[in-house]
mmCIF file of all heavy atoms in Angstrom:
data_model
loop_
_atom_site.group_PDB
_atom_site.id
_atom_site.type_symbol
_atom_site.label_atom_id
_atom_site.label_comp_id
_atom_site.label_asym_id
_atom_site.label_seq_id
_atom_site.Cartn_x
_atom_site.Cartn_y
_atom_site.Cartn_z
ATOM 1 N N VAL A 16 3.064 17.388 15.647
ATOM 2 C CA VAL A 16 4.128 17.353 14.647
ATOM 3 C C VAL A 16 4.007 18.601 13.786
ATOM 4 O O VAL A 16 2.921 18.925 13.296
ATOM 5 C CB VAL A 16 4.039 16.089 13.762
ATOM 6 C CG1 VAL A 16 5.103 16.118 12.663
ATOM 7 C CG2 VAL A 16 4.183 14.822 14.611
ATOM 8 N N GLU A 17 5.110 19.312 13.617
ATOM 9 C CA GLU A 17 5.085 20.481 12.750
ATOM 10 C C GLU A 17 4.897 20.046 11.300
ATOM 11 O O GLU A 17 5.508 19.075 10.844
ATOM 12 C CB GLU A 17 6.376 21.286 12.891
ATOM 13 C CG GLU A 17 6.344 22.601 12.143
ATOM 14 C CD GLU A 17 7.559 23.467 12.413
ATOM 15 O OE1 GLU A 17 8.357 23.125 13.314
ATOM 16 O OE2 GLU A 17 7.710 24.486 11.717
ATOM 17 N N LYS A 18 4.046 20.751 10.593
ATOM 18 C CA LYS A 18 3.777 20.402 9.198
ATOM 19 C C LYS A 18 5.066 20.360 8.387
ATOM 20 O O LYS A 18 5.927 21.218 8.545
ATOM 21 C CB LYS A 18 2.796 21.396 8.581
ATOM 22 C CG LYS A 18 1.373 21.248 9.096
ATOM 23 C CD LYS A 18 0.411 22.213 8.407
ATOM 24 C CE LYS A 18 -1.009 22.012 8.915
ATOM 25 N NZ LYS A 18 -1.969 22.964 8.286
ATOM 26 N N SER A 19 5.181 19.340 7.569
ATOM 27 C CA SER A 19 6.307 19.073 6.664
ATOM 28 C C SER A 19 7.587 18.677 7.399
ATOM 29 O O SER A 19 8.647 18.595 6.786
ATOM 30 C CB SER A 19 6.580 20.256 5.717
ATOM 31 O OG SER A 19 7.262 21.313 6.366
ATOM 32 N N ALA A 20 7.494 18.401 8.708
ATOM 33 C CA ALA A 20 8.698 18.023 9.472
ATOM 34 C C ALA A 20 9.358 16.771 8.928
ATOM 35 O O ALA A 20 10.582 16.620 9.003
ATOM 36 C CB ALA A 20 8.346 17.834 10.946
ATOM 37 N N GLY A 21 8.565 15.849 8.391
ATOM 38 C CA GLY A 21 9.116 14.576 7.944
ATOM 39 C C GLY A 21 9.406 14.478 6.462
ATOM 40 O O GLY A 21 9.891 13.439 5.995
ATOM 41 N N ILE A 22 9.129 15.545 5.711
ATOM 42 C CA ILE A 22 9.239 15.475 4.253
ATOM 43 C C ILE A 22 10.643 15.082 3.806
ATOM 44 O O ILE A 22 10.826 14.260 2.904
ATOM 45 C CB ILE A 22 8.836 16.825 3.616
ATOM 46 C CG1 ILE A 22 7.356 17.120 3.888
ATOM 47 C CG2 ILE A 22 9.111 16.830 2.118
ATOM 48 C CD1 ILE A 22 6.409 16.091 3.326
ATOM 49 N N GLY A 23 11.662 15.655 4.442
ATOM 50 C CA GLY A 23 13.042 15.366 4.048
ATOM 51 C C GLY A 23 13.445 13.921 4.267
ATOM 52 O O GLY A 23 14.392 13.429 3.642
ATOM 53 N N SER A 24 12.720 13.238 5.145
ATOM 54 C CA SER A 24 12.991 11.820 5.401
ATOM 55 C C SER A 24 12.001 10.910 4.682
ATOM 56 O O SER A 24 12.012 9.692 4.895
ATOM 57 C CB SER A 24 12.938 11.532 6.914
ATOM 58 O OG SER A 24 13.981 12.194 7.587
ATOM 59 N N GLY A 25 11.146 11.517 3.872
ATOM 60 C CA GLY A 25 10.208 10.727 3.081
ATOM 61 C C GLY A 25 8.908 10.397 3.774
ATOM 62 O O GLY A 25 8.185 9.484 3.357
ATOM 63 N N PHE A 26 8.554 11.139 4.844
ATOM 64 C CA PHE A 26 7.307 10.916 5.566
ATOM 65 C C PHE A 26 6.360 12.086 5.327
ATOM 66 O O PHE A 26 6.732 13.242 5.534
ATOM 67 C CB PHE A 26 7.555 10.760 7.072
ATOM 68 C CG PHE A 26 8.499 9.658 7.420
ATOM 69 C CD1 PHE A 26 9.688 9.920 8.081
ATOM 70 C CD2 PHE A 26 8.207 8.334 7.102
ATOM 71 C CE1 PHE A 26 10.578 8.905 8.401
ATOM 72 C CE2 PHE A 26 9.090 7.309 7.421
ATOM 73 C CZ PHE A 26 10.274 7.603 8.069
ATOM 74 N N THR A 27 5.139 11.789 4.920
ATOM 75 C CA THR A 27 4.169 12.842 4.623
ATOM 76 C C THR A 27 3.386 13.233 5.866
ATOM 77 O O THR A 27 3.309 12.484 6.846
ATOM 78 C CB THR A 27 3.179 12.369 3.549
ATOM 79 O OG1 THR A 27 2.392 11.279 4.081
ATOM 80 C CG2 THR A 27 3.906 11.905 2.287
ATOM 81 N N ASP A 28 2.789 14.419 5.818
ATOM 82 C CA ASP A 28 1.919 14.857 6.908
ATOM 83 C C ASP A 28 0.765 13.879 7.099
ATOM 84 O O ASP A 28 0.323 13.625 8.234
ATOM 85 C CB ASP A 28 1.364 16.253 6.611
ATOM 86 C CG ASP A 28 2.425 17.341 6.708
ATOM 87 O OD1 ASP A 28 3.521 17.054 7.242
ATOM 88 O OD2 ASP A 28 2.155 18.469 6.257
ATOM 89 N N GLU A 29 0.287 13.332 5.988
ATOM 90 C CA GLU A 29 -0.830 12.392 6.054
ATOM 91 C C GLU A 29 -0.463 11.139 6.845
ATOM 92 O O GLU A 29 -1.301 10.579 7.574
ATOM 93 C CB GLU A 29 -1.282 12.014 4.643
ATOM 94 C CG GLU A 29 -1.977 13.123 3.862
ATOM 95 C CD GLU A 29 -1.020 14.202 3.370
ATOM 96 O OE1 GLU A 29 0.211 13.927 3.322
ATOM 97 O OE2 GLU A 29 -1.499 15.303 3.045
ATOM 98 N N GLU A 30 0.776 10.694 6.736
ATOM 99 C CA GLU A 30 1.206 9.519 7.489
ATOM 100 C C GLU A 30 1.209 9.802 8.994
ATOM 101 O O GLU A 30 0.820 8.940 9.795
ATOM 102 C CB GLU A 30 2.596 9.084 7.036
ATOM 103 C CG GLU A 30 2.639 8.433 5.663
ATOM 104 C CD GLU A 30 4.046 8.064 5.250
ATOM 105 O OE1 GLU A 30 4.763 8.948 4.723
ATOM 106 O OE2 GLU A 30 4.447 6.904 5.456
ATOM 107 N N TYR A 31 1.643 10.996 9.367
ATOM 108 C CA TYR A 31 1.623 11.353 10.793
ATOM 109 C C TYR A 31 0.185 11.481 11.303
ATOM 110 O O TYR A 31 -0.140 11.042 12.415
ATOM 111 C CB TYR A 31 2.394 12.648 11.030
ATOM 112 C CG TYR A 31 3.894 12.460 11.015
ATOM 113 C CD1 TYR A 31 4.650 12.868 9.928
ATOM 114 C CD2 TYR A 31 4.551 11.856 12.088
ATOM 115 C CE1 TYR A 31 6.035 12.685 9.905
ATOM 116 C CE2 TYR A 31 5.922 11.665 12.074
ATOM 117 C CZ TYR A 31 6.664 12.081 10.981
ATOM 118 O OH TYR A 31 8.019 11.885 10.963
ATOM 119 N N ALA A 32 -0.680 12.079 10.480
ATOM 120 C CA ALA A 32 -2.085 12.216 10.876
ATOM 121 C C ALA A 32 -2.722 10.844 11.055
ATOM 122 O O ALA A 32 -3.483 10.613 12.008
ATOM 123 C CB ALA A 32 -2.841 13.039 9.833
ATOM 124 N N ALA A 33 -2.411 9.910 10.147
ATOM 125 C CA ALA A 33 -2.965 8.561 10.247
ATOM 126 C C ALA A 33 -2.450 7.844 11.489
ATOM 127 O O ALA A 33 -3.116 6.941 12.019
ATOM 128 C CB ALA A 33 -2.605 7.760 8.995
ATOM 129 N N ALA A 34 -1.278 8.247 11.971
ATOM 130 C CA ALA A 34 -0.692 7.654 13.181
ATOM 131 C C ALA A 34 -1.271 8.266 14.458
ATOM 132 O O ALA A 34 -0.890 7.865 15.565
ATOM 133 C CB ALA A 34 0.828 7.816 13.173
ATOM 134 N N GLY A 35 -2.147 9.256 14.298
ATOM 135 C CA GLY A 35 -2.793 9.875 15.450
ATOM 136 C C GLY A 35 -2.180 11.181 15.898
ATOM 137 O O GLY A 35 -2.610 11.773 16.893
ATOM 138 N N ALA A 36 -1.143 11.654 15.180
ATOM 139 C CA ALA A 36 -0.508 12.918 15.542
ATOM 140 C C ALA A 36 -1.361 14.097 15.076
ATOM 141 O O ALA A 36 -2.144 13.988 14.127
ATOM 142 C CB ALA A 36 0.881 13.009 14.919
ATOM 143 N N ILE A 37 -1.184 15.239 15.744
ATOM 144 C CA ILE A 37 -1.874 16.480 15.388
ATOM 145 C C ILE A 37 -0.869 17.399 14.716
ATOM 146 O O ILE A 37 0.216 17.649 15.264
ATOM 147 C CB ILE A 37 -2.467 17.157 16.633
ATOM 148 C CG1 ILE A 37 -3.463 16.216 17.329
ATOM 149 C CG2 ILE A 37 -3.137 18.479 16.262
ATOM 150 C CD1 ILE A 37 -3.891 16.690 18.704
ATOM 151 N N LEU A 38 -1.194 17.893 13.539
ATOM 152 C CA LEU A 38 -0.272 18.720 12.772
ATOM 153 C C LEU A 38 -0.467 20.194 13.097
ATOM 154 O O LEU A 38 -1.600 20.679 13.176
ATOM 155 C CB LEU A 38 -0.478 18.487 11.277
ATOM 156 C CG LEU A 38 -0.118 17.061 10.812
ATOM 157 C CD1 LEU A 38 -0.721 16.759 9.464
ATOM 158 C CD2 LEU A 38 1.390 16.888 10.772
ATOM 159 N N LEU A 39 0.628 20.900 13.305
ATOM 160 C CA LEU A 39 0.619 22.336 13.552
ATOM 161 C C LEU A 39 1.609 22.998 12.600
ATOM 162 O O LEU A 39 2.640 22.400 12.253
ATOM 163 C CB LEU A 39 1.016 22.656 14.995
ATOM 164 C CG LEU A 39 0.051 22.240 16.119
ATOM 165 C CD1 LEU A 39 0.687 22.554 17.471
ATOM 166 C CD2 LEU A 39 -1.267 22.962 15.986
ATOM 167 N N ASP A 40 1.334 24.235 12.209
ATOM 168 C CA ASP A 40 2.265 24.916 11.299
ATOM 169 C C ASP A 40 2.996 26.065 11.969
ATOM 170 O O ASP A 40 3.765 26.773 11.322
ATOM 171 C CB ASP A 40 1.546 25.405 10.035
ATOM 172 C CG ASP A 40 0.385 26.344 10.329
ATOM 173 O OD1 ASP A 40 0.215 26.724 11.509
ATOM 174 O OD2 ASP A 40 -0.339 26.690 9.381
ATOM 175 N N ASN A 41 2.784 26.243 13.272
ATOM 176 C CA ASN A 41 3.424 27.328 14.010
ATOM 177 C C ASN A 41 4.397 26.743 15.024
ATOM 178 O O ASN A 41 3.983 26.161 16.029
ATOM 179 C CB ASN A 41 2.361 28.176 14.724
ATOM 180 C CG ASN A 41 2.956 29.398 15.395
ATOM 181 O OD1 ASN A 41 4.080 29.377 15.875
ATOM 182 N ND2 ASN A 41 2.186 30.472 15.439
ATOM 183 N N PRO A 42 5.731 26.861 14.809
ATOM 184 C CA PRO A 42 6.681 26.243 15.737
ATOM 185 C C PRO A 42 6.588 26.793 17.154
ATOM 186 O O PRO A 42 6.752 26.057 18.126
ATOM 187 C CB PRO A 42 8.040 26.537 15.105
ATOM 188 C CG PRO A 42 7.809 27.665 14.159
ATOM 189 C CD PRO A 42 6.404 27.517 13.686
ATOM 190 N N ARG A 43 6.291 28.085 17.287
ATOM 191 C CA ARG A 43 6.158 28.650 18.638
ATOM 192 C C ARG A 43 5.018 27.964 19.391
ATOM 193 O O ARG A 43 5.143 27.632 20.579
ATOM 194 C CB ARG A 43 5.915 30.162 18.546
ATOM 195 C CG ARG A 43 5.807 30.832 19.917
ATOM 196 C CD ARG A 43 5.611 32.331 19.780
ATOM 197 N NE ARG A 43 6.787 32.979 19.213
ATOM 198 C CZ ARG A 43 7.844 33.343 19.905
ATOM 199 N NH1 ARG A 43 7.902 33.113 21.220
ATOM 200 N NH2 ARG A 43 8.873 33.926 19.314
ATOM 201 N N GLU A 44 3.923 27.740 18.711
ATOM 202 C CA GLU A 44 2.776 27.070 19.328
ATOM 203 C C GLU A 44 3.144 25.640 19.701
ATOM 204 O O GLU A 44 2.728 25.121 20.744
ATOM 205 C CB GLU A 44 1.595 27.077 18.354
ATOM 206 C CG GLU A 44 0.289 26.563 18.935
ATOM 207 C CD GLU A 44 -0.321 27.508 19.955
ATOM 208 O OE1 GLU A 44 0.060 28.690 19.990
ATOM 209 O OE2 GLU A 44 -1.195 27.052 20.730
ATOM 210 N N LEU A 45 3.949 25.014 18.869
ATOM 211 C CA LEU A 45 4.395 23.647 19.110
ATOM 212 C C LEU A 45 5.163 23.559 20.430
ATOM 213 O O LEU A 45 4.924 22.678 21.260
ATOM 214 C CB LEU A 45 5.279 23.210 17.940
ATOM 215 C CG LEU A 45 5.407 21.730 17.644
ATOM 216 C CD1 LEU A 45 4.185 21.240 16.868
ATOM 217 C CD2 LEU A 45 6.658 21.470 16.808
ATOM 218 N N TYR A 46 6.091 24.491 20.630
ATOM 219 C CA TYR A 46 6.883 24.526 21.866
ATOM 220 C C TYR A 46 6.014 24.927 23.056
ATOM 221 O O TYR A 46 6.178 24.399 24.163
ATOM 222 C CB TYR A 46 8.043 25.508 21.721
ATOM 223 C CG TYR A 46 9.261 24.970 21.009
ATOM 224 C CD1 TYR A 46 9.307 24.913 19.622
ATOM 225 C CD2 TYR A 46 10.372 24.532 21.720
ATOM 226 C CE1 TYR A 46 10.433 24.432 18.958
ATOM 227 C CE2 TYR A 46 11.503 24.053 21.068
ATOM 228 C CZ TYR A 46 11.524 24.002 19.686
ATOM 229 O OH TYR A 46 12.638 23.520 19.028
ATOM 230 N N LEU A 47 5.107 25.871 22.851
ATOM 231 C CA LEU A 47 4.279 26.389 23.938
ATOM 232 C C LEU A 47 3.398 25.300 24.533
ATOM 233 O O LEU A 47 3.183 25.247 25.747
ATOM 234 C CB LEU A 47 3.422 27.551 23.423
ATOM 235 C CG LEU A 47 2.553 28.258 24.454
ATOM 236 C CD1 LEU A 47 3.408 28.929 25.517
ATOM 237 C CD2 LEU A 47 1.649 29.298 23.764
ATOM 238 N N ARG A 48 2.894 24.420 23.694
ATOM 239 C CA ARG A 48 1.979 23.383 24.168
ATOM 240 C C ARG A 48 2.702 22.183 24.781
ATOM 241 O O ARG A 48 2.086 21.393 25.502
ATOM 242 C CB ARG A 48 1.113 22.887 23.007
ATOM 243 C CG ARG A 48 0.189 23.937 22.408
ATOM 244 C CD ARG A 48 -0.758 23.313 21.409
ATOM 245 N NE ARG A 48 -1.585 24.308 20.728
ATOM 246 C CZ ARG A 48 -2.622 24.019 19.955
ATOM 247 N NH1 ARG A 48 -2.970 22.757 19.771
ATOM 248 N NH2 ARG A 48 -3.303 24.973 19.360
ATOM 249 N N ALA A 49 3.973 22.025 24.497
ATOM 250 C CA ALA A 49 4.665 20.772 24.811
ATOM 251 C C ALA A 49 5.080 20.649 26.272
ATOM 252 O O ALA A 49 5.562 21.604 26.880
ATOM 253 C CB ALA A 49 5.895 20.640 23.929
ATOM 254 N N ASP A 50 4.911 19.436 26.812
ATOM 255 C CA ASP A 50 5.599 19.060 28.044
ATOM 256 C C ASP A 50 7.025 18.624 27.699
ATOM 257 O O ASP A 50 7.957 18.874 28.461
ATOM 258 C CB ASP A 50 4.879 17.890 28.724
ATOM 259 C CG ASP A 50 3.456 18.234 29.119
ATOM 260 O OD1 ASP A 50 3.271 19.284 29.774
ATOM 261 O OD2 ASP A 50 2.546 17.471 28.766
ATOM 262 N N MET A 51 7.168 17.980 26.539
ATOM 263 C CA MET A 51 8.487 17.515 26.092
ATOM 264 C C MET A 51 8.624 17.768 24.591
ATOM 265 O O MET A 51 7.734 17.436 23.808
ATOM 266 C CB MET A 51 8.676 16.023 26.387
ATOM 267 C CG MET A 51 9.985 15.456 25.867
ATOM 268 S SD MET A 51 10.395 13.806 26.516
ATOM 269 C CE MET A 51 9.008 12.834 25.895
ATOM 270 N N VAL A 52 9.752 18.357 24.219
ATOM 271 C CA VAL A 52 10.089 18.556 22.813
ATOM 272 C C VAL A 52 11.174 17.547 22.461
ATOM 273 O O VAL A 52 12.213 17.482 23.122
ATOM 274 C CB VAL A 52 10.581 19.994 22.547
ATOM 275 C CG1 VAL A 52 11.099 20.130 21.116
ATOM 276 C CG2 VAL A 52 9.461 20.997 22.806
ATOM 277 N N VAL A 53 10.925 16.783 21.420
ATOM 278 C CA VAL A 53 11.883 15.783 20.953
ATOM 279 C C VAL A 53 12.416 16.242 19.598
ATOM 280 O O VAL A 53 11.644 16.416 18.653
ATOM 281 C CB VAL A 53 11.235 14.387 20.842
ATOM 282 C CG1 VAL A 53 12.259 13.356 20.379
ATOM 283 C CG2 VAL A 53 10.634 13.971 22.180
ATOM 284 N N LYS A 54 13.727 16.473 19.529
ATOM 285 C CA LYS A 54 14.343 16.978 18.311
ATOM 286 C C LYS A 54 15.462 16.033 17.859
ATOM 287 O O LYS A 54 15.733 15.028 18.509
ATOM 288 C CB LYS A 54 14.947 18.381 18.538
ATOM 289 C CG LYS A 54 13.922 19.500 18.724
ATOM 290 C CD LYS A 54 14.621 20.840 18.883
ATOM 291 C CE LYS A 54 14.891 21.546 17.562
ATOM 292 N NZ LYS A 54 16.085 21.072 16.851
ATOM 293 N N VAL A 55 16.099 16.436 16.764
ATOM 294 C CA VAL A 55 17.308 15.753 16.303
ATOM 295 C C VAL A 55 18.525 16.571 16.705
ATOM 296 O O VAL A 55 19.412 16.096 17.405
ATOM 297 C CB VAL A 55 17.300 15.542 14.776
ATOM 298 C CG1 VAL A 55 18.603 14.873 14.325
ATOM 299 C CG2 VAL A 55 16.102 14.710 14.345
ATOM 300 N N LYS A 56 18.568 17.834 16.268
ATOM 301 C CA LYS A 56 19.709 18.699 16.528
ATOM 302 C C LYS A 56 19.384 19.735 17.592
ATOM 303 O O LYS A 56 18.218 20.012 17.903
ATOM 304 C CB LYS A 56 20.158 19.398 15.244
ATOM 305 C CG LYS A 56 20.738 18.450 14.209
ATOM 306 C CD LYS A 56 21.976 17.713 14.710
ATOM 307 C CE LYS A 56 23.166 18.640 14.873
ATOM 308 N NZ LYS A 56 24.357 17.917 15.382
ATOM 309 N N GLU A 57 20.442 20.324 18.127
ATOM 310 C CA GLU A 57 20.307 21.353 19.158
ATOM 311 C C GLU A 57 19.524 22.555 18.628
ATOM 312 O O GLU A 57 19.566 22.851 17.432
ATOM 313 C CB GLU A 57 21.686 21.800 19.629
ATOM 314 C CG GLU A 57 22.473 22.631 18.631
ATOM 315 C CD GLU A 57 23.138 21.855 17.521
ATOM 316 O OE1 GLU A 57 23.099 20.599 17.566
ATOM 317 O OE2 GLU A 57 23.689 22.482 16.596
ATOM 318 N N PRO A 58 18.791 23.264 19.506
ATOM 319 C CA PRO A 58 18.102 24.483 19.067
ATOM 320 C C PRO A 58 19.102 25.522 18.550
ATOM 321 O O PRO A 58 20.198 25.678 19.101
ATOM 322 C CB PRO A 58 17.419 24.984 20.345
ATOM 323 C CG PRO A 58 17.304 23.785 21.226
ATOM 324 C CD PRO A 58 18.523 22.955 20.921
#
């Protein structure tokens, strides 16, 4: 999960970490590592 991705919806980075997600702050790295990218809006 990209850092601060959920802030606008009221979800903190800490909540994602507690759920077992790994936080990254580099979007390119996020895409590079992914088998699947799940978004809301089109790139």
Side-chain angles (χ1 to χ4, degrees):
V16 176
E17 187 173 351
K18 288 183 178 179
S19 77
I22 296 299
S24 294
F26 303 119
T27 65
D28 289 347
E29 290 74 18
E30 288 178 276
Y31 283 105
I37 301 169
L38 295 163
L39 292 176
D40 58 7
N41 186 327
R43 182 178 293 277
E44 187 70 18
L45 205 80
Y46 278 81
L47 183 64
R48 296 188 185 190
D50 299 309
M51 176 167 62
V52 173
V53 181
K54 289 182 88 279
V55 178
K56 293 299 291 179
E57 71 281 354

